[in-house]
């Protein structure tokens, strides 16, 4: 049966207040005993203005705007709020629209309180008139003896004492059995021994009748004819048993050490001191005391006037650096943004702020799918969306842009927020015109604000229709892999189609019409919004106007670029320069114009390894044009244009880094996002070995972040997107957004000092490599000389062996004279040798004589 709807009286407006609103306006004490309270209209209107449609007071805004109370000013008006405990009118509170209704409600509750007070007084008076209950008191409180119950004649039973005694368990008369079990000590702790057997003995258990279980004739007579009763007849009896724990006697043996008497004797080392030494020592001690006495007195006097254990630095004022002020925490600026249809359980892949609007941010949502799921859905048409959120409504997105695939990068035109370009997973590039959608949204908001009556609530916001792209590039004329980076070219630097040269801009409104895209297929494509043509069917076709292929320095394939950063120069050769990060962790400096007068021209100027994994962020410092920030794997690096190595390299984070950005207001502050859902803020002027501040965003990985701010230190917002499709907007604390005095010069000096350090380390490494090469050459030369000396010694030894053999043969053949002549010649040569060689030759002759004598070869004397 449906509940009967209660008609709401005139002058009353039901309203639902959440716990947050109740806490903000201190309404916790309102209940049945205290059901009414006055609330300031000024505070309510301020809350509606701050929170907008999310405020609980917003449905009754007209009541507070039109509320009057005589001649009271608007600032002093207070509306009467009443608790609706039973939800009579549908909500937990209701408001009084005017003072007449408020007076009636107050009078109603006043009479109700008086009636309740009179009822309580009557109940108390009635309780006082009732007589007190009669107390029963024993007239003869005397301890009487125990009277045991005994059965009378004709009544069967036993005495009470006998009945209790029958239930007592006692030991039986036979002696108790005692068992003692022991085991030899050597069997303690031994495990079981198992062995194999040839067969397993088994026994069959066949059913049989127990001879004791026989037919009971006595019971058979009682049961009647034809009934067989088997079993033994037992009489019923009362018995008791008692469970006792099992006990055992055990013994153990501990090791005992034999006690022995031992002693040691020693004598101190004594040094005899003469009387003269004693006098000199006493004089030295006296002189020392005389010298230190004034110092000790001065120190004691100083301790009495100065608090030596007091930290004087505590008296200094708080310096405006991180960690020294109370306002050093990241705060959430608004409630998180998420949409159940478009962004829930999806990955936020890119974030960008609308340039000419405050409180408007756009996010791109991609599907969270594994590799197998992507392969399975490959070739299927699936749409993706870009959501544009407005701080006025955190529940419904203001605009929804529809794309024919996942969007990994998009950018607003920096001079015209009506133009938005994006890159798709299919390699296509598309752009939207948002002017008409903005006009419709403005009309809708204006109509919603003016169409609400006094007693009417604002209707829920209609579902926003998806906006399709104005132009989309053809698949044949696009990238072959997903677009990973997109950037608008400056309006001053307009490139010529097909050649890529810089020409004078054709637009005079300062709005750029050209953009550049990058994909891992190694191509950098340039696009012009005005360069479009029609096909045979009248459909508009949009293709790139200039294309370059970026190859690796070694020439072993295309560079798989994933992040792009253009040069901010407006003139000179550096206008065409760019930096890009690759999937292999390289930072590449290149130009989209090939250099002239070179044999093998290339778009790559320099390339060096920056990270172990893909580069997830590349950004140029907004304060120093030659400073580049790269983020990848677990670290971030800061490069200067003149260095091949990073001038600053962060320590390794506990988890992988997903993106990073320079602060737009402080040159020395860098923000990085981690895969564990945290955001790290690095202040290089505070510390460089670790993050100065860490803030946990949520349990999901942070996938994108972007700063908003026009360079003013008054307000700086940071948009953070996570892996679950939630957009968080945080307010950066004052000490992290306000630059320190002369901070730009300090950071510039820091970078130059680190650049000099890197240059010195590079030169030292080169010098050490040269030293190492020289040492290796010397070692090689020394090794070669030793080998030559060993070869020479081996040759001399072989020659001596040959001579000995020839001499032995000559002696055996009787040719001793030739041998002696040859020996004489050698003696003549030996006489001309140097003293060292003569000594060696003499030693050799002795060894030779010993050898001849040993083998029995004797030379006849001449």
């Amino acid at each position: 049966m449906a509940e009967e709807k209660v008609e709401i009286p005139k002058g009353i407006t039901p309203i639902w207040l959440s716990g947050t609103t109740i806490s903000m306006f201190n309404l916790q004490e309102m209940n049945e005993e205290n059901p009414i309270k006055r609330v300031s209209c000024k505070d309510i209107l301020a809350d509606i203005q701050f929170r907008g449609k999310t405020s609980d007071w917003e449905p009754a805004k007209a009541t507070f705007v039109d509320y009057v109370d005589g001649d009271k000013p608007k600032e002093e008006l207070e509306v009467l709020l009443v608790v609706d405990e039973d939800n009579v009118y549908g909500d937990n509170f209701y408001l009084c629209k005017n003072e007449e209704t408020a007076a009636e409600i107050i009078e109603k509750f006043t009479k109700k309180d008086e009636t309740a007070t009179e009822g309580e007084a009557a109940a108390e008076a009635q309780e006082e008139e009732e007589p007190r209950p009669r107390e029963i008191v024993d007239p003869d409180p005397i301890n009487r003896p125990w009277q045991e119950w005994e059965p009378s004649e004709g009544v069967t039973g036993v005495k009470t004492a006998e009945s209790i005694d029958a239930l007592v368990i006692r030991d039986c008369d036979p002696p108790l059995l005692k068992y003692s079990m022991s085991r030899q000590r050597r069997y303690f702790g031994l495990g079981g021994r198992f062995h194999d057997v040839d067969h397993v003995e088994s026994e069959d258990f066949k059913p049989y009748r127990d001879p004791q279980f026989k037919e009971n004739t006595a019971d058979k007579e009682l049961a009647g004819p034809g009934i067989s009763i088997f079993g033994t007849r037992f009489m019923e009896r009362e018995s008791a048993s008692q469970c006792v724990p099992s006990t055992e006697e055990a013994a153990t043996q501990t090791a005992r050490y034999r006690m022995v008497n031992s002693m040691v004797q020693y004598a101190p080392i004594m040094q005899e001191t003469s009387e003269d030494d004693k006098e000199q020592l006493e004089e030295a001690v006296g002189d020392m005391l005389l010298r230190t006495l004034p110092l000790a007195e001065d120190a004691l006097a100083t301790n009495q006037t100065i608090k030596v254990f007091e930290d004087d630095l505590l008296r200094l004022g708080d310096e405006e650096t991180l960690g020294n002020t109370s306002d050093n925490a990241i705060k959430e600026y608004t409630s998180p943004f998420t949409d159940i249809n478009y962004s829930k359980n999806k990955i936020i892949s890119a974030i960008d702020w609308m340039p000419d609007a405050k409180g408007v941010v756009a996010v791109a949502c991609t599907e969270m799918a594994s590799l197998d799921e992507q392969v399975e859905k490959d070739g299927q048409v699936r749409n993706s969306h870009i959501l544009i959120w407005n701080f006025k409504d955190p529940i419904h997105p203001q605009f929804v842009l529809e794309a024919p695939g996942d969007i990994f990068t998009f950018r607003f035109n920096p001079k015209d927020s009506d133009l938005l370009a994006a890159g798709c997973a299919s390699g296509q590039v598309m752009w939207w015109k948002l002017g008409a959608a903005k006009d419709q949204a403005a009309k809708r908001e204006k109509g919603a604000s003016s169409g609400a009556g006094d007693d009417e609530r604002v209707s829920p916001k209609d579902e926003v229709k998806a906006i399709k792209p104005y132009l989309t590039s053809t698949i044949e004329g696009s990238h072959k892999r997903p677009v990973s980076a997109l950037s608008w070219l400056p309006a001053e630097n307009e490139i010529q189609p097909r050649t890529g040269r810089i020409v004078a801009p054709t637009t005079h409104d300062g709005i750029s019409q050209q953009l550049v895209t990058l994909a891992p297929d190694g191509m950098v494509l340039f696009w012009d919004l005005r360069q479009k043509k029609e096909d045979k069917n009248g459909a508009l076709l949009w293709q790139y106007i200039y294309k370059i292929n970026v190859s690796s320095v070694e020439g072993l394939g295309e560079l798989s670029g994933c992040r792009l950063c253009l040069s901010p120069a407006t003139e000179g050769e550096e206008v065409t320069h760019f930096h890009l990060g690759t999937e292999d962790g390289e930072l590449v400096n290149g130009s989209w114009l090939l250099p002239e007068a070179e044999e093998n021209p290339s778009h790559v100027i320099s390339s060096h390894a920056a990270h172990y994994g893909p580069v997830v962020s590349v950004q140029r410092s907004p304060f120093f044009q030659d400073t580049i920030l790269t983020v990848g794997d677990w670290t971030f690096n800061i490069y200067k244009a003149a260095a091949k190595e990073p001038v600053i390299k962060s320590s390794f984070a506990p988890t992988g880094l997903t993106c990073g950005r320079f602060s737009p207001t402080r040159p020395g502050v860098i923000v990085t996002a981690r895969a564990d859902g945290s955001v790290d803020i690095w202040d290089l002027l505070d510390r460089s070995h670790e993050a100065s501040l860490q803030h946990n965003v949520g349990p999901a990985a942070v996938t994108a972040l972007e700063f908003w701010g026009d360079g003013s230190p008054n307000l700086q917002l940071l948009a953070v997107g996570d892996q679950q499709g939630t957009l968080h907007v945080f307010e950066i604390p004052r000490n992290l957004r306000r630059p320190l005095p002369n901070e730009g010069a300090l950071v510039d000096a820091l970078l130059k000092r680190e650049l000099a350090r890197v240059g010195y380390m590079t030169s030292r490494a080169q010098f050490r490599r040269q030293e190492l090469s020289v040492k290796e050459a010397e070692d090689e030369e020394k090794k070669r000389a030793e080998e030559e000396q060993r070869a020479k010694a081996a040759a001399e030894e072989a020659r001596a062996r040959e001579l000995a053999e020839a001499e032995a043969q000559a002696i055996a053949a009787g040719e001793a004279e030739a041998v002696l002549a040859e020996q004489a010649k050698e003696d003549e040569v030996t006489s001309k040798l140097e003293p060292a060689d003569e000594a060696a030759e003499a030693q050799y002759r002795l060894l030779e004589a010993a050898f001849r004598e040993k083998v029995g070869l004797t030379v006849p004397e001449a």
Side-chain angles (χ1 to χ4, degrees), residues 36 68 95 217 220 237 354 419 467 615 635 724 762 789:
I36 59 176
V68 294
L95 300 168
T217 57
K220 184 175 181 180
R237 62 184 178 184
M354 187 173 288
L419 300 178
I467 305 173
V615 179
T635 60
Q724 294 180 349
T762 304
Q789 187 175 1

Side-chain angles (χ1 to χ4, degrees), residues 784-804:
R784 188 184 302 108
E786 291 178 354
E787 290 179 354
E788 291 178 356
Q789 187 175 1
R790 286 195 297 269
K792 185 177 179 180
E796 291 179 355
E797 184 179 356
R799 180 174 175 275
R801 190 181 300 109
E802 291 177 357
L803 290 176

Side-chain angles (χ1 to χ4, degrees), residues 51 97 130 154 216 301 331 341 344 385 403 418 431 500 549 579 721 725 765 808 847:
R51 295 198 292 173
K97 295 184 179 180
E130 292 180 357
N216 194 333
K331 300 178 181 179
N341 298 321
K344 187 175 181 181
H385 301 86
D418 293 344
W431 61 284
N549 291 319
H579 285 82
L847 294 174

Side-chain angles (χ1 to χ4, degrees), residues 106-122:
I106 294 173
E107 184 179 359
K108 172 184 174 182
F109 282 102
T110 303
K111 291 181 178 180
K112 185 177 180 180
D113 295 341
E114 292 177 356
T115 304
T117 305
E118 293 176 358
E120 292 176 359

Side-chain angles (χ1 to χ4, degrees), residues 25 87 137 143 157 247 286 323 325 364 402 411 425 431 475 515-516 532 768 780:
F25 288 84
N87 293 340
V137 182
N143 294 330
T247 60
T325 61
E402 185 178 358
R411 285 295 175 191
W431 61 284
I475 296 179
L515 54 95
V516 57
K532 51 184 178 292
R768 294 296 296 171
E780 188 69 23

